[in-house]
Amino acid sequence: MQTVRALRRVTKPLQWVRSVSQGKRSFSALPNYSASDADVQDQVSVEGKAKSRAAILDRPSSLNALSAPMVGRLKRLYESWEENPAISFVLMKGSGKTFCSGADVLPLYHSINEGNTEECKNFFGSLYNFVYLQGTYLKPNIAIMDGVTMGCGGGISIPGMFRVATDKTVLAHPEVQIGFHPDAGASYYLSRLPGYLGEYLALTGQKLDGVEMIACGLATHFCLHSRLGMVEERIGKLLTDDPTVIEASLAQYSDLVYPDNTSVLHKIEMIDRYFGLDTVEEIIEAMENEVADSGNEWCKKTLKQVKEASPLSLKITLQSIREGRFQTLDQCLTREYRISLCGVSKTVSGDFCEGIRARLVDKDFAPKWDPPRLEDVTKDMVDCYFSPATDADDSESELKLPTAQREPYF
């Protein structure tokens, strides 16, 4: 208990940015829907209350995985609700047993193989802009992360003001297992976790439950799944945009919880010892030495998780998390966009497509990574993923965020 309490003491609340309006945008009470929007309305449904609106990810058969049309609809809804003076706060939740399992990567896989990387570029651009909108939202926003919350499912929820975890919540960032990297703002919030917990989660794909999310600051409230109905009923009756009133209403049904003895948070000292090292090679070597000396079972399991991942993704991810520790949300998203576009372009490697093939298409779980070994991954390879556009023609490949209109408030 003392270890967890100490962890909670060093955990700082995640700091986000809030927007300030500059200029006027056209007012609309509801978004303008095109024909293509109408096709996706049933995948992101809307629930209206007196002074609030809820966006519901409603694609349970696909574990509420985000498609490009879903991201576009979410962005239009949130922009419209922010402009509407009749709406005081907003909420997001998922239908079924999942909040959001991340991006729907199969369409991206097929687009890349067909040579249509423009669709991938548009998807990531739209997704990262929505994450930035969440992190700079003018009105109180709530995410109820009940159930599986993986990959960019964290990105569309954790930047919000209030994050509600439950006893059904499972958070994970397994991107390195498919030759990708934790994105959609993950390098911002993972890098701000206690010690080197973020590096550990990013390089292993290890899961956290709702209690652990509260303990390390990724969630603001914990509520039993069985009481969510009462929570939603209570906040649905609110007629205010005062964050303190909304917070008090959420706290009314929240529970004071602590991680049990099996939680990885009790291993924070070991995590810091290994994942605080400078390179992936040093991390692996230190754990291998520990296994050889003591047969430590946790190190054995962790080594297996790390070694299953793409060697290139491991190095990219470690550098991304380390850089994120000193960057703002918009800077993290800009860097992540460069990494993502380099990944889908296959300029250096086709590991992203190979990882999807191995896990989701052929399901042989035997990816042929390129390069296959850590020692074959050069500095130039890694640097290519982080390099900004160097001329006017390439500048179109840079992420464009409305930073001038949505400024930091801290």
Side-chain angles (χ1 to χ4, degrees):
M1 183 67 73
Q2 292 301 318
T3 302
V4 175
R5 284 176 179 164
L7 175 65
R8 289 175 64 86
R9 283 197 296 271
V10 300
T11 303
K12 296 180 180 178
L14 297 180
Q15 291 180 301
W16 307 106
V17 289
R18 175 168 288 182
S19 62
V20 292
S21 287
Q22 293 185 356
K24 293 183 178 180
R25 291 182 290 177
S26 59
F27 169 78
S28 60
L30 291 172
N32 293 319
Y33 296 113
S34 65
S36 60
D37 294 326
D39 296 335
V40 79
Q41 285 188 51
D42 58 345
Q43 295 181 359
V44 180
S45 55
V46 173
E47 189 176 86
K49 299 294 183 182
K51 297 289 286 184
S52 65
R53 296 293 184 271
I56 305 168
L57 306 180
D58 203 359
R59 203 183 173 202
S61 62
S62 299
L63 302 179
N64 297 331
L66 290 176
S67 64
M70 289 173 71
V71 174
R73 175 162 162 79
L74 283 169
K75 185 171 180 289
R76 288 188 294 274
L77 285 171
Y78 270 66
E79 286 174 340
S80 173
W81 293 341
E82 187 179 63
E83 293 173 346
N84 190 341
I87 296 174
S88 296
F89 65 94
V90 302
L91 178 146
M92 186 189 298
K93 61 181 179 179
S95 64
K97 297 180 180 180
T98 302
F99 171 67
C100 177
S101 61
D104 187 352
V105 294
L106 283 177
L108 301 179
Y109 170 83
H110 293 303
S111 292
I112 295 168
N113 286 337
E114 293 164 4
N116 186 4
T117 57
E118 195 66 22
E119 286 190 8
C120 301
K121 176 181 175 181
N122 293 338
F123 172 77
F124 289 117
S126 180
L127 173 62
Y128 297 174
N129 265 275
F130 179 64
V131 172
Y132 187 68
L133 177 65
Q134 283 276 64
T136 60
Y137 209 62
L138 276 173
K139 297 178 179 179
N141 55 336
I142 305 164
I144 299 180
M145 300 178 288
D146 185 42
V148 174
T149 305
M150 297 180 71
C152 67
I156 64 170
S157 53
I158 293 174
M161 185 177 293
F162 300 115
R163 292 96 61 193
V164 181
T166 75
D167 50 319
K168 303 291 185 182
T169 301
V170 178
L171 175 76
H173 276 283
E175 290 91 344
V176 293
Q177 303 295 330
I178 60 166
F180 203 54
H181 66 109
D183 67 329
S187 67
Y188 182 81
Y189 56 79
L190 290 179
S191 65
R192 281 156 175 78
L193 295 181
Y196 296 94
L197 179 62
E199 282 90 335
Y200 165 73
L201 296 174
L203 296 179
T204 64
Q206 178 64 38
K207 304 178 184 70
L208 291 182
D209 62 26
V211 176
E212 291 168 326
M213 289 179 68
I214 280 285
C216 67
L218 288 172
T220 59
H221 297 80
F222 180 90
C223 174
L224 293 175
H225 170 82
S226 59
R227 292 212 294 247
L228 277 181
M230 291 184 285
V231 173
E232 292 185 42
E233 182 180 4
R234 175 74 182 91
I235 60 177
K237 294 177 180 178
L238 295 178
L239 304 175
T240 180
D241 61 358
D242 185 342
T244 61
V245 176
I246 297 170
E247 197 282 331
S249 297
L250 291 171
Q252 183 178 349
Y253 294 96
S254 295
D255 298 276
L256 183 63
V257 289
Y258 297 95
D260 61 30
N261 293 333
T262 64
S263 171
V264 71
L265 298 186
H266 292 291
K267 299 187 183 297
I268 194 70
E269 291 180 2
M270 290 184 67
I271 288 172
D272 287 352
R273 185 186 313 153
Y274 302 123
F275 288 86
L277 295 171
D278 290 339
T279 67
V280 177
E281 290 91 339
E282 289 176 306
I283 292 170
I284 290 176
E285 182 183 6
M287 287 193 291
E288 286 177 337
N289 290 339
E290 181 65 35
V291 170
D293 292 341
S294 66
N296 185 284
E297 289 299 323
W298 180 82
C299 282
K300 283 183 184 178
K301 176 185 174 184
T302 304
L303 272 172
K304 182 176 183 296
Q305 291 172 315
V306 173
K307 289 183 175 182
E308 286 176 349
S310 155
L312 179 58
S313 289
L314 288 172
K315 289 198 171 187
I316 291 167
T317 295
L318 182 62
Q319 182 169 327
S320 182
I321 299 295
R322 295 279 163 87
E323 290 189 10
R325 189 169 274 118
F326 305 100
Q327 293 179 328
T328 59
L329 177 60
D330 60 284
Q331 290 171 331
C332 286
L333 290 168
T334 298
R335 172 177 33 74
E336 290 169 358
Y337 186 69
R338 292 170 187 157
I339 297 172
S340 296
L341 291 199
C342 189
V344 301
S345 71
K346 297 186 178 180
T347 303
V348 176
S349 170
D351 275 4
F352 182 39
C353 279
E354 175 61 13
I356 296 171
R357 179 207 63 77
R359 286 189 172 264
L360 300 175
V361 180
D362 297 338
K363 299 181 181 179
D364 57 21
F365 296 91
K368 296 176 176 59
W369 301 125
D370 176 30
R373 304 177 304 168
L374 277 172
E375 53 264 40
D376 298 326
V377 179
T378 67
K379 182 179 183 299
D380 286 344
M381 289 178 180
V382 176
D383 288 346
C384 185
Y385 285 80
F386 292 82
S387 299
T390 55
D391 56 50
D393 292 334
D394 289 339
S395 66
E396 290 300 313
S397 297
E398 290 290 286
L399 181 66
K400 293 175 176 58
L401 296 171
T403 52
Q405 289 77 37
R406 311 185 73 87
E407 298 176 355
Y409 75 93
F410 53 81

Short mmCIF file of all heavy atoms in Angstrom, two decimals, residues 164-215:
data_model
loop_
_atom_site.label_atom_id
_atom_site.label_comp_id
_atom_site.label_asym_id
_atom_site.label_seq_id
_atom_site.Cartn_x
_atom_site.Cartn_y
_atom_site.Cartn_z
N VAL A 164 -13.53 8.77 -17.03
CA VAL A 164 -14.13 7.83 -16.09
C VAL A 164 -13.74 6.41 -16.46
O VAL A 164 -14.05 5.94 -17.56
CB VAL A 164 -15.67 7.97 -16.07
CG1 VAL A 164 -16.27 6.99 -15.06
CG2 VAL A 164 -16.08 9.40 -15.75
N ALA A 165 -13.04 5.73 -15.57
CA ALA A 165 -12.70 4.32 -15.75
C ALA A 165 -13.62 3.48 -14.88
O ALA A 165 -14.18 3.96 -13.89
CB ALA A 165 -11.24 4.08 -15.38
N THR A 166 -13.77 2.21 -15.25
CA THR A 166 -14.63 1.30 -14.50
C THR A 166 -13.89 0.00 -14.21
O THR A 166 -12.74 -0.19 -14.62
CB THR A 166 -15.92 0.98 -15.29
OG1 THR A 166 -15.60 0.04 -16.35
CG2 THR A 166 -16.54 2.23 -15.89
N ASP A 167 -14.58 -0.90 -13.53
CA ASP A 167 -13.99 -2.21 -13.27
C ASP A 167 -13.94 -3.08 -14.52
O ASP A 167 -13.39 -4.18 -14.49
CB ASP A 167 -14.77 -2.93 -12.17
CG ASP A 167 -16.27 -2.94 -12.41
OD1 ASP A 167 -16.82 -1.92 -12.85
OD2 ASP A 167 -16.92 -3.98 -12.16
N LYS A 168 -14.48 -2.59 -15.63
CA LYS A 168 -14.40 -3.30 -16.92
C LYS A 168 -13.37 -2.68 -17.86
O LYS A 168 -13.12 -3.21 -18.94
CB LYS A 168 -15.77 -3.27 -17.61
CG LYS A 168 -16.92 -3.86 -16.80
CD LYS A 168 -16.79 -5.36 -16.65
CE LYS A 168 -18.02 -5.95 -15.94
NZ LYS A 168 -17.89 -7.41 -15.75
N THR A 169 -12.77 -1.57 -17.46
CA THR A 169 -11.84 -0.87 -18.33
C THR A 169 -10.53 -1.64 -18.49
O THR A 169 -9.97 -2.13 -17.51
CB THR A 169 -11.53 0.54 -17.78
OG1 THR A 169 -12.74 1.28 -17.68
CG2 THR A 169 -10.57 1.28 -18.68
N VAL A 170 -10.07 -1.74 -19.71
CA VAL A 170 -8.75 -2.30 -20.02
C VAL A 170 -8.08 -1.37 -21.02
O VAL A 170 -8.55 -1.22 -22.15
CB VAL A 170 -8.83 -3.72 -20.61
CG1 VAL A 170 -7.43 -4.23 -20.94
CG2 VAL A 170 -9.53 -4.67 -19.65
N LEU A 171 -7.00 -0.73 -20.61
CA LEU A 171 -6.25 0.19 -21.49
C LEU A 171 -4.97 -0.48 -21.95
O LEU A 171 -4.25 -1.08 -21.13
CB LEU A 171 -5.92 1.49 -20.76
CG LEU A 171 -5.03 2.48 -21.53
CD1 LEU A 171 -5.84 3.20 -22.59
CD2 LEU A 171 -4.39 3.48 -20.58
N ALA A 172 -4.66 -0.38 -23.23
CA ALA A 172 -3.39 -0.92 -23.74
C ALA A 172 -2.96 -0.18 -24.98
O ALA A 172 -3.80 0.33 -25.75
CB ALA A 172 -3.52 -2.41 -24.03
N HIS A 173 -1.65 -0.13 -25.18
CA HIS A 173 -1.07 0.44 -26.40
C HIS A 173 -0.17 -0.63 -27.03
O HIS A 173 1.04 -0.63 -26.84
CB HIS A 173 -0.26 1.70 -26.08
CG HIS A 173 -1.12 2.92 -26.00
ND1 HIS A 173 -1.60 3.56 -27.12
CD2 HIS A 173 -1.60 3.60 -24.93
CE1 HIS A 173 -2.35 4.59 -26.74
NE2 HIS A 173 -2.37 4.65 -25.43
N PRO A 174 -0.77 -1.55 -27.80
CA PRO A 174 -0.01 -2.66 -28.39
C PRO A 174 0.54 -2.38 -29.79
O PRO A 174 0.84 -3.30 -30.54
CB PRO A 174 -1.06 -3.77 -28.44
CG PRO A 174 -2.33 -3.03 -28.73
CD PRO A 174 -2.21 -1.68 -28.06
N GLU A 175 0.69 -1.10 -30.15
CA GLU A 175 1.05 -0.75 -31.52
C GLU A 175 2.36 -1.37 -32.00
O GLU A 175 2.49 -1.71 -33.19
CB GLU A 175 1.12 0.78 -31.68
CG GLU A 175 -0.23 1.48 -31.62
CD GLU A 175 -0.63 1.91 -30.21
OE1 GLU A 175 -0.01 1.40 -29.25
OE2 GLU A 175 -1.52 2.76 -30.10
N VAL A 176 3.35 -1.49 -31.11
CA VAL A 176 4.64 -2.04 -31.57
C VAL A 176 4.50 -3.48 -32.03
O VAL A 176 5.34 -3.98 -32.80
CB VAL A 176 5.72 -1.93 -30.47
CG1 VAL A 176 6.08 -0.48 -30.19
CG2 VAL A 176 5.30 -2.65 -29.19
N GLN A 177 3.44 -4.15 -31.59
CA GLN A 177 3.23 -5.55 -31.99
C GLN A 177 2.75 -5.65 -33.44
O GLN A 177 2.78 -6.74 -34.02
CB GLN A 177 2.20 -6.21 -31.07
CG GLN A 177 2.56 -6.17 -29.59
CD GLN A 177 3.79 -6.98 -29.26
OE1 GLN A 177 4.07 -7.97 -29.92
NE2 GLN A 177 4.53 -6.59 -28.23
N ILE A 178 2.29 -4.52 -34.02
CA ILE A 178 1.91 -4.53 -35.44
C ILE A 178 2.81 -3.60 -36.25
O ILE A 178 2.43 -3.14 -37.33
CB ILE A 178 0.42 -4.17 -35.64
CG1 ILE A 178 0.11 -2.76 -35.10
CG2 ILE A 178 -0.49 -5.21 -35.04
CD1 ILE A 178 -1.23 -2.22 -35.57
N GLY A 179 4.00 -3.34 -35.75
CA GLY A 179 4.95 -2.54 -36.51
C GLY A 179 4.60 -1.07 -36.61
O GLY A 179 4.99 -0.39 -37.57
N PHE A 180 3.90 -0.56 -35.59
CA PHE A 180 3.50 0.84 -35.60
C PHE A 180 4.06 1.51 -34.35
O PHE A 180 5.03 1.02 -33.75
CB PHE A 180 1.98 0.95 -35.68
CG PHE A 180 1.46 2.24 -36.23
CD1 PHE A 180 1.88 2.71 -37.46
CD2 PHE A 180 0.54 3.00 -35.52
CE1 PHE A 180 1.41 3.91 -37.98
CE2 PHE A 180 0.05 4.20 -36.02
CZ PHE A 180 0.48 4.65 -37.25
N HIS A 181 3.45 2.58 -33.90
CA HIS A 181 3.92 3.31 -32.73
C HIS A 181 2.70 3.88 -31.98
O HIS A 181 1.66 4.15 -32.61
CB HIS A 181 4.84 4.46 -33.14
CG HIS A 181 4.14 5.53 -33.93
ND1 HIS A 181 3.86 6.79 -33.43
CD2 HIS A 181 3.61 5.52 -35.18
CE1 HIS A 181 3.21 7.49 -34.33
NE2 HIS A 181 3.05 6.76 -35.41
N PRO A 182 2.76 4.05 -30.67
CA PRO A 182 1.66 4.68 -29.93
C PRO A 182 1.47 6.11 -30.41
O PRO A 182 2.36 6.94 -30.30
CB PRO A 182 2.14 4.63 -28.47
CG PRO A 182 3.10 3.49 -28.44
CD PRO A 182 3.81 3.56 -29.77
N ASP A 183 0.28 6.39 -30.96
CA ASP A 183 0.05 7.68 -31.59
C ASP A 183 -1.20 8.34 -31.04
O ASP A 183 -1.66 8.01 -29.96
CB ASP A 183 -0.05 7.52 -33.12
CG ASP A 183 -1.27 6.73 -33.55
OD1 ASP A 183 -1.73 5.83 -32.80
OD2 ASP A 183 -1.81 7.00 -34.64
N ALA A 184 -1.75 9.29 -31.77
CA ALA A 184 -2.96 10.02 -31.36
C ALA A 184 -2.79 10.66 -29.99
O ALA A 184 -3.68 10.65 -29.16
CB ALA A 184 -4.18 9.12 -31.39
N GLY A 185 -1.61 11.23 -29.75
CA GLY A 185 -1.33 11.90 -28.48
C GLY A 185 -0.75 11.00 -27.41
O GLY A 185 -0.43 11.47 -26.32
N ALA A 186 -0.56 9.72 -27.71
CA ALA A 186 -0.06 8.79 -26.68
C ALA A 186 1.34 9.16 -26.20
O ALA A 186 1.68 8.98 -25.03
CB ALA A 186 -0.06 7.36 -27.22
N SER A 187 2.17 9.70 -27.10
CA SER A 187 3.52 10.07 -26.67
C SER A 187 3.49 11.26 -25.72
O SER A 187 4.46 11.50 -25.00
CB SER A 187 4.41 10.39 -27.88
OG SER A 187 3.98 11.57 -28.56
N TYR A 188 2.38 11.97 -25.69
CA TYR A 188 2.22 13.08 -24.73
C TYR A 188 1.82 12.54 -23.36
O TYR A 188 2.47 12.82 -22.35
CB TYR A 188 1.18 14.07 -25.24
CG TYR A 188 0.98 15.26 -24.32
CD1 TYR A 188 1.86 16.33 -24.36
CD2 TYR A 188 -0.06 15.31 -23.41
CE1 TYR A 188 1.70 17.43 -23.52
CE2 TYR A 188 -0.23 16.39 -22.56
CZ TYR A 188 0.65 17.44 -22.62
OH TYR A 188 0.48 18.52 -21.78
N TYR A 189 0.73 11.75 -23.31
CA TYR A 189 0.27 11.35 -21.99
C TYR A 189 1.04 10.17 -21.39
O TYR A 189 1.19 10.09 -20.17
CB TYR A 189 -1.25 11.09 -21.96
CG TYR A 189 -1.80 10.08 -22.92
CD1 TYR A 189 -1.71 8.71 -22.68
CD2 TYR A 189 -2.51 10.48 -24.05
CE1 TYR A 189 -2.26 7.77 -23.54
CE2 TYR A 189 -3.07 9.56 -24.93
CZ TYR A 189 -2.94 8.21 -24.66
OH TYR A 189 -3.50 7.29 -25.52
N LEU A 190 1.58 9.29 -22.21
CA LEU A 190 2.38 8.20 -21.66
C LEU A 190 3.70 8.73 -21.08
O LEU A 190 4.18 8.25 -20.06
CB LEU A 190 2.68 7.15 -22.73
CG LEU A 190 1.51 6.29 -23.21
CD1 LEU A 190 1.97 5.31 -24.28
CD2 LEU A 190 0.87 5.53 -22.05
N SER A 191 4.25 9.74 -21.73
CA SER A 191 5.54 10.29 -21.27
C SER A 191 5.40 11.05 -19.96
O SER A 191 6.41 11.34 -19.30
CB SER A 191 6.13 11.21 -22.34
OG SER A 191 5.33 12.36 -22.54
N ARG A 192 4.18 11.37 -19.55
CA ARG A 192 3.96 12.12 -18.33
C ARG A 192 3.52 11.23 -17.16
O ARG A 192 3.17 11.73 -16.09
CB ARG A 192 2.93 13.23 -18.58
CG ARG A 192 3.57 14.42 -19.27
CD ARG A 192 2.60 15.27 -20.05
NE ARG A 192 3.27 16.46 -20.57
CZ ARG A 192 4.07 16.47 -21.65
NH1 ARG A 192 4.29 15.35 -22.32
NH2 ARG A 192 4.63 17.60 -22.05
N LEU A 193 3.59 9.94 -17.35
CA LEU A 193 3.27 9.02 -16.25
C LEU A 193 4.45 8.95 -15.29
O LEU A 193 5.56 9.35 -15.62
CB LEU A 193 2.96 7.62 -16.82
CG LEU A 193 1.71 7.53 -17.70
CD1 LEU A 193 1.49 6.10 -18.17
CD2 LEU A 193 0.47 8.02 -16.95
N PRO A 194 4.22 8.43 -14.08
CA PRO A 194 5.30 8.36 -13.09
C PRO A 194 6.50 7.57 -13.61
O PRO A 194 6.34 6.53 -14.25
CB PRO A 194 4.64 7.64 -11.90
CG PRO A 194 3.18 7.92 -12.06
CD PRO A 194 2.93 7.97 -13.53
N GLY A 195 7.67 8.09 -13.34
CA GLY A 195 8.90 7.38 -13.70
C GLY A 195 8.95 7.05 -15.18
O GLY A 195 8.72 7.90 -16.04
N TYR A 196 9.24 5.79 -15.47
CA TYR A 196 9.34 5.31 -16.85
C TYR A 196 8.24 4.32 -17.16
O TYR A 196 8.39 3.45 -18.01
CB TYR A 196 10.72 4.70 -17.09
CG TYR A 196 11.82 5.75 -16.95
CD1 TYR A 196 12.48 5.93 -15.73
CD2 TYR A 196 12.16 6.58 -18.01
CE1 TYR A 196 13.45 6.91 -15.58
CE2 TYR A 196 13.13 7.56 -17.88
CZ TYR A 196 13.77 7.72 -16.66
OH TYR A 196 14.72 8.70 -16.53
N LEU A 197 7.10 4.50 -16.49
CA LEU A 197 5.94 3.63 -16.73
C LEU A 197 5.47 3.75 -18.18
O LEU A 197 5.07 2.76 -18.79
CB LEU A 197 4.81 4.00 -15.77
CG LEU A 197 3.51 3.21 -15.91
CD1 LEU A 197 3.74 1.72 -15.63
CD2 LEU A 197 2.45 3.76 -14.96
N GLY A 198 5.53 4.96 -18.74
CA GLY A 198 5.08 5.16 -20.12
C GLY A 198 5.91 4.37 -21.11
O GLY A 198 5.38 3.77 -22.06
N GLU A 199 7.23 4.37 -20.92
CA GLU A 199 8.09 3.59 -21.79
C GLU A 199 7.75 2.11 -21.69
O GLU A 199 7.70 1.39 -22.70
CB GLU A 199 9.57 3.80 -21.42
CG GLU A 199 10.16 5.10 -21.93
CD GLU A 199 10.00 6.27 -20.97
OE1 GLU A 199 9.07 6.25 -20.14
OE2 GLU A 199 10.80 7.22 -21.05
N TYR A 200 7.52 1.64 -20.47
CA TYR A 200 7.17 0.23 -20.26
C TYR A 200 5.88 -0.14 -20.99
O TYR A 200 5.82 -1.14 -21.71
CB TYR A 200 7.03 -0.04 -18.76
CG TYR A 200 6.34 -1.33 -18.42
CD1 TYR A 200 6.98 -2.56 -18.59
CD2 TYR A 200 5.04 -1.33 -17.92
CE1 TYR A 200 6.35 -3.74 -18.29
CE2 TYR A 200 4.40 -2.51 -17.61
CZ TYR A 200 5.05 -3.72 -17.80
OH TYR A 200 4.42 -4.89 -17.49
N LEU A 201 4.84 0.68 -20.83
CA LEU A 201 3.56 0.39 -21.48
C LEU A 201 3.68 0.43 -22.99
O LEU A 201 3.08 -0.39 -23.70
CB LEU A 201 2.50 1.39 -21.01
CG LEU A 201 2.13 1.35 -19.52
CD1 LEU A 201 1.18 2.49 -19.18
CD2 LEU A 201 1.52 0.01 -19.14
N ALA A 202 4.47 1.38 -23.51
CA ALA A 202 4.60 1.54 -24.95
C ALA A 202 5.41 0.43 -25.60
O ALA A 202 5.11 0.00 -26.72
CB ALA A 202 5.23 2.90 -25.26
N LEU A 203 6.44 -0.05 -24.92
CA LEU A 203 7.32 -1.06 -25.51
C LEU A 203 6.83 -2.49 -25.31
O LEU A 203 7.29 -3.40 -26.00
CB LEU A 203 8.74 -0.92 -24.93
CG LEU A 203 9.46 0.39 -25.24
CD1 LEU A 203 10.84 0.41 -24.59
CD2 LEU A 203 9.58 0.64 -26.74
N THR A 204 5.91 -2.69 -24.37
CA THR A 204 5.42 -4.05 -24.10
C THR A 204 3.97 -4.26 -24.53
O THR A 204 3.55 -5.40 -24.76
CB THR A 204 5.50 -4.38 -22.60
OG1 THR A 204 4.63 -3.49 -21.87
CG2 THR A 204 6.93 -4.23 -22.08
N GLY A 205 3.18 -3.18 -24.61
CA GLY A 205 1.75 -3.34 -24.87
C GLY A 205 0.99 -3.84 -23.66
O GLY A 205 -0.17 -4.25 -23.77
N GLN A 206 1.61 -3.81 -22.49
CA GLN A 206 0.99 -4.30 -21.26
C GLN A 206 -0.29 -3.53 -20.95
O GLN A 206 -0.39 -2.33 -21.16
CB GLN A 206 1.98 -4.15 -20.09
CG GLN A 206 1.45 -4.59 -18.74
CD GLN A 206 1.14 -6.08 -18.69
OE1 GLN A 206 1.85 -6.88 -19.27
NE2 GLN A 206 0.06 -6.44 -18.03
N LYS A 207 -1.27 -4.24 -20.42
CA LYS A 207 -2.57 -3.65 -20.11
C LYS A 207 -2.57 -3.00 -18.73
O LYS A 207 -1.86 -3.43 -17.82
CB LYS A 207 -3.67 -4.71 -20.16
CG LYS A 207 -3.78 -5.47 -21.48
CD LYS A 207 -4.87 -6.53 -21.37
CE LYS A 207 -4.95 -7.37 -22.64
NZ LYS A 207 -3.77 -8.25 -22.79
N LEU A 208 -3.42 -1.97 -18.58
CA LEU A 208 -3.76 -1.41 -17.28
C LEU A 208 -5.26 -1.54 -17.09
O LEU A 208 -6.03 -1.39 -18.04
CB LEU A 208 -3.39 0.08 -17.20
CG LEU A 208 -1.92 0.48 -17.19
CD1 LEU A 208 -1.81 2.00 -17.05
CD2 LEU A 208 -1.14 -0.21 -16.09
N ASP A 209 -5.67 -1.81 -15.85
CA ASP A 209 -7.11 -1.82 -15.58
C ASP A 209 -7.54 -0.45 -15.06
O ASP A 209 -6.73 0.47 -14.92
CB ASP A 209 -7.50 -2.95 -14.62
CG ASP A 209 -6.85 -2.83 -13.24
OD1 ASP A 209 -6.52 -1.70 -12.82
OD2 ASP A 209 -6.70 -3.86 -12.55
N GLY A 210 -8.83 -0.31 -14.80
CA GLY A 210 -9.36 0.98 -14.38
C GLY A 210 -8.77 1.49 -13.09
O GLY A 210 -8.54 2.70 -12.93
N VAL A 211 -8.53 0.61 -12.15
CA VAL A 211 -7.95 1.01 -10.87
C VAL A 211 -6.53 1.54 -11.08
O VAL A 211 -6.13 2.56 -10.50
CB VAL A 211 -7.94 -0.18 -9.89
CG1 VAL A 211 -7.25 0.20 -8.58
CG2 VAL A 211 -9.37 -0.65 -9.61
N GLU A 212 -5.77 0.85 -11.92
CA GLU A 212 -4.40 1.29 -12.20
C GLU A 212 -4.39 2.63 -12.94
O GLU A 212 -3.50 3.46 -12.72
CB GLU A 212 -3.68 0.22 -13.02
CG GLU A 212 -3.42 -1.05 -12.21
CD GLU A 212 -2.98 -2.21 -13.07
OE1 GLU A 212 -3.45 -2.33 -14.22
OE2 GLU A 212 -2.17 -3.03 -12.58
N MET A 213 -5.39 2.85 -13.78
CA MET A 213 -5.47 4.13 -14.49
C MET A 213 -5.71 5.28 -13.52
O MET A 213 -5.16 6.37 -13.69
CB MET A 213 -6.58 4.08 -15.53
CG MET A 213 -6.26 3.20 -16.73
SD MET A 213 -7.62 3.15 -17.92
CE MET A 213 -7.59 4.85 -18.54
N ILE A 214 -6.50 5.05 -12.50
CA ILE A 214 -6.71 6.07 -11.46
C ILE A 214 -5.41 6.33 -10.72
O ILE A 214 -5.01 7.47 -10.47
CB ILE A 214 -7.81 5.61 -10.48
CG1 ILE A 214 -9.19 5.85 -11.08
CG2 ILE A 214 -7.69 6.33 -9.14
CD1 ILE A 214 -9.64 7.29 -11.08
N ALA A 215 -4.71 5.24 -10.36
CA ALA A 215 -3.50 5.37 -9.55
C ALA A 215 -2.41 6.15 -10.27
O ALA A 215 -1.64 6.88 -9.63
CB ALA A 215 -2.99 3.99 -9.17
#
